[in-house]
Amino acid sequence: MPLRHIERTDARTVPSESKQHRRARTARLRMKVAVLAVVLTLVIVWLLANLATGEKRVAQRIEHRYAASDPQFQYLMGVLLGPPVVPGNQVGTLINGDQIFSSMLTAIGSAQQSVCFETFIYWSGDIGRAFADALAERARAGVSVLVMLDWIGTSKMDAALLDELREAGAQIERYHKPSWTGLGKLNNRTHRKLLIVDGRIGFTGGVGIADEWTGDAQDPMHWRDTHFRIVGPAVAQMQAVFMDNWIKTSNTVLHDIRYFPRLEDAGPSPAQVFMSSANGGSTSMEVMYLLSIASAARSIRLSSSYFVPNRVAVDAFVAATKRGVKIQIITPGRNIDAGIVRAASRAKWGPLLKAGVEMFEYQPTMFHVKVMVVDELMVSCGSTNFDDRSFRLNAEANLNVYDAEFAALQVRVFDDDLSRSKRIGMAQWKRRPWLERLEGAVAAMMDSQL
């Protein structure tokens, strides 16, 4: 065969081999894309499955059947939320960090048997050091010191403080610390703020352990908040709430007299401490709020640091106004640590304002209070925000007090906050900047995570 023919034959076969290579490369690329698509689909399905609780939620408004003053209201609150309403409690109101932290640290310093402490936020700073020193001192003195910290909320905590506590003998548990078998649980946080000393003195409310909560809300760097100190039979319920997460994380049941002493009556107030958790009973807080709104006959005063009501809650407020209930709600103004939450909140106000709900924004600093007063009789306070994250995803704890005198004090506190707040009417709400409207629309797509 002539050389020229051979060369032409080779020239003809090369393009044929290149097509085969291209086809093979294309097939491999398509396979990689298909595998990647499958992986991404699985990841999205996994995320959606883990961001949801898997539990059914309240889907329609609770009808008004009786007033908050009716004995049936207290009875049902005990039956539906878990622990009964127990008499004989004394509840003290602590306003802002100067009062709150000094009272908590004094109680810790007095501990003889046990200190049980659970918090979402614990950051570095002077107050973080003060709490670590106080807890460590009691642990070294032989007091049982149990510390429950949310893994996400305490991610900024100085490791040296943890070392100090462990070396002193305190037991520390981190709630939902990441693991390969439980990454989805990271979205379920303990948002509870609990301190129980000797099983006899309890504290709950809104504060975290960070310098932002110190002082007296005197400027934008120091936040406005309220905490509560309780003695009496309901403290045993608070201790039981603490033990709920302690058992889940440590697999240890602590039940002796150091934690659960016999408690005598200490004051005039009937009260209950109850909890909610994505691991069970996640609707307790939502049911409590909705039942309270449905039972209001005269007034609702709500202080809420993160107020993002769902459709059922909006409908409940609107229905209450139609039967003559006066509703006033205080939320943060421009001084807020999460601007997208404010945008998401304000996006929900249209039907509320139209119905006559009075909306106010606190002006001096970040407003972190979480207190509701119904008919100047029932007060609910604790860690719970008025949003789907608190209602469905977080572990929360609230103290409910059924006492007109105690409620009257909370009304005075509310009115004082109201004097430092700006009312937002329908006309002003409609003039919201387009950027805020856009943020609100984006936030609406992830309401359950705010």
Side-chain angles (χ1 to χ4, degrees):
M1 181 179 298
L3 181 60
R4 185 177 53 187
H5 179 72
I6 294 176
E7 289 175 349
R8 283 198 301 269
T9 302
D10 290 343
R12 286 195 302 270
T13 58
V14 169
S16 176
E17 292 174 350
S18 297
K19 286 182 180 179
Q20 291 177 355
H21 291 160
R22 284 197 297 271
R23 288 171 183 164
R25 283 196 300 271
T26 301
R28 287 195 297 269
L29 180 61
R30 287 174 177 170
M31 179 62 71
K32 290 178 180 178
V33 170
V35 170
L36 181 61
V38 171
V39 170
L40 287 174
T41 301
L42 291 174
V43 168
I44 292 171
V45 170
W46 179 84
L47 284 172
L48 290 174
N50 283 287
L51 288 175
T53 64
E55 296 186 6
K56 292 183 178 180
R57 61 185 301 169
V58 181
Q60 58 186 5
R61 175 168 52 87
I62 298 175
E63 297 295 331
H64 176 74
R65 302 294 187 202
Y66 40 77
S69 58
D70 192 311
Q72 180 73 1
F73 175 65
Q74 282 191 34
Y75 171 71
L76 276 180
M77 291 293 266
V79 172
L80 289 176
L81 303 182
V85 178
V86 291
N89 301 282
Q90 182 185 71
V91 186
T93 304
L94 305 170
I95 305 296
N96 297 331
D98 284 347
Q99 292 184 19
I100 295 166
F101 290 137
S102 62
S103 184
M104 293 173 74
L105 289 169
T106 297
I108 291 171
S110 72
Q112 298 298 310
Q113 299 291 327
S114 63
V115 178
C116 299
F117 179 54
E118 180 171 357
T119 189
F120 175 65
I121 293 293
Y122 196 133
W123 296 338
S124 300
D126 292 340
I127 196 62
R129 166 60 61 187
F131 267 80
D133 289 347
L135 293 167
E137 188 278 327
R138 286 293 81 198
R140 285 191 293 268
V143 173
S144 174
V145 176
L146 312 180
V147 180
M148 169 68 62
L149 303 173
D150 184 79
W151 188 84
I152 289 179
T154 60
S155 59
K156 297 189 216 176
M157 186 178 183
D158 189 342
L161 300 183
L162 293 171
D163 292 340
E164 176 187 358
L165 290 169
R166 291 192 180 100
E167 290 170 5
Q171 300 178 59
I172 301 174
E173 294 291 340
R174 306 296 293 272
Y175 188 79
H176 286 173
K177 185 177 180 180
S179 66
W180 287 111
T181 57
L183 289 178
K185 293 181 179 179
L186 279 175
N187 200 40
N188 303 127
R189 309 160 189 170
T190 179
H191 195 246
R192 297 171 185 168
K193 285 92 174 176
L194 301 173
L195 173 65
I196 307 98
V197 175
D198 290 338
R200 298 181 180 277
I201 306 172
F203 294 83
T204 192
V207 301
I209 309 305
D211 285 348
E212 283 83 346
W213 276 278
T214 59
D216 193 27
Q218 68 269 26
D219 55 49
M221 299 301 295
H222 298 84
W223 294 359
R224 167 74 185 92
D225 216 332
T226 302
H227 226 62
F228 298 87
R229 181 186 187 274
I230 179 171
V231 293
V235 176
Q237 297 177 349
M238 186 179 292
Q239 184 71 286
V241 172
F242 172 85
M243 288 302 174
D244 170 63
N245 276 341
W246 189 260
I247 293 169
K248 291 173 182 175
T249 55
S250 71
N251 299 318
T252 303
V253 180
L254 302 174
H255 55 86
D256 60 62
I257 198 170
R258 292 178 297 171
Y259 310 103
F260 292 98
R262 294 282 183 175
L263 299 175
E264 303 296 329
D265 288 356
S269 300
Q272 66 181 153
V273 180
F274 67 104
M275 64 181 181
S276 66
S277 173
N279 297 320
S282 67
T283 60
S284 295
M285 291 300 170
E286 186 172 21
V287 168
M288 184 276 293
Y289 275 109
L290 293 177
L291 188 59
S292 299
I293 295 168
S295 300
R298 299 189 307 276
S299 62
I300 298 171
R301 295 172 174 88
L302 176 64
S303 300
S304 181
S305 52
Y306 305 103
F307 177 73
V308 189
N310 57 38
R311 178 189 57 79
V312 177
V314 170
D315 289 347
F317 282 124
V318 171
T321 62
K322 289 180 179 178
R323 62 175 185 271
V325 178
K326 181 178 180 179
I327 302 175
Q328 295 175 307
I329 300 174
I330 304 177
T331 69
R334 294 189 180 278
N335 292 306
I336 188 171
D337 63 332
I340 193 170
V341 176
R342 180 172 180 250
S345 174
R346 287 162 64 94
K348 304 274 189 174
W349 292 5
L352 299 175
L353 293 169
K354 183 178 180 181
V357 175
E358 298 178 12
M359 299 298 306
F360 298 85
E361 291 188 332
Y362 191 77
Q363 298 299 301
T365 185
M366 169 64 186
F367 187 74
H368 203 261
V369 182
K370 312 167 197 301
V371 178
M372 179 176 67
V373 186
V374 177
D375 285 352
E376 300 183 9
L377 174 63
M378 177 265 197
V379 177
S380 187
C381 47
S383 64
T384 309
N385 295 312
F386 204 102
D387 57 24
D388 275 350
R389 168 160 284 284
S390 277
F391 289 167
R392 305 189 66 210
L393 298 174
N394 288 346
E396 304 282 5
N398 263 40
L399 164 67
N400 285 355
V401 183
Y402 304 86
D403 183 326
E405 186 174 345
F406 180 76
L409 172 59
Q410 305 315 312
V411 169
R412 291 195 294 272
V413 173
F414 183 91
D415 287 344
D416 186 64
D417 288 333
L418 206 64
S419 70
R420 294 172 168 83
S421 302
K422 178 181 179 181
R423 185 172 178 180
I424 308 298
M426 177 64 82
Q428 183 176 353
W429 179 79
K430 286 182 176 179
R431 292 196 301 269
R432 300 188 324 281
W434 69 267
L435 184 58
E436 180 185 314
R437 293 171 183 266
L438 179 60
E439 287 178 330
V442 172
M445 294 186 289
M446 51 181 181
D447 272 2
S448 65
Q449 303 303 312
L450 296 177

